[in-house]
Amino acid sequence: MDNWQGNLEHTLRSEAEESESDAAKLAARVRELGDVAFDAMTRGDLLAVTSSDRSYVGTVRYARGDLVSLETDGGWIDANLSGPLHLVIRRRGYSDGFDRVAGAATFKARLSEHELTGELIEIVAPHAGVSAKGHIAAVARDHVMLTTADGQDIFVPLSQIAFVVRHKS
């Protein structure tokens, strides 16, 4: 009888572990990249946002929808999670985590905030061959118009923008 009970307990334990594993896989399958960024923010992870030619490492200060904002040694990075990039968690629990705060709901909304402030930014769109500093003159339906210091207007598709960089002064 004891052997039968032991086998039953082992079987039930194995089935429970398998169910937990299946639930974890299902949860991972329905997540979006924004969820990964949000979790990194709340845990205080050190995160790298990387495109084909650039990588920035910092702590996540804001994450919502297709936008993640990092504070790095060189400044602030707004990354387009719908753009040509990927995320790498470099170190879990690197700092105290952050709670969600009010702010832009999307990357495009963050670009509109930069347009309103008129601050000097750098737009990085590696697949379009763009790395240019200037002021956002307009955020259109599918592109951004950036005016450089020499007066050039550059039009960059939103889908191609990986990063907006605000360098520390």
Side-chain angles (χ1 to χ4, degrees), residues 62-67 100-110 113:
Y62 186 81
R64 187 167 178 198
D66 64 349
L67 167 66
R100 180 168 296 207
V101 295
T106 63
F107 182 73
K108 185 176 179 180
R110 177 58 55 87
E113 289 176 355

Side-chain angles (χ1 to χ4, degrees), residues 27-48:
R29 287 181 180 138
V30 298
R31 288 176 54 149
E32 295 182 355
L33 204 51
D35 300 325
V36 174
F38 180 79
D39 289 348
M41 178 184 74
T42 59
R43 283 192 308 258
D45 295 347
L46 187 66
L47 185 73

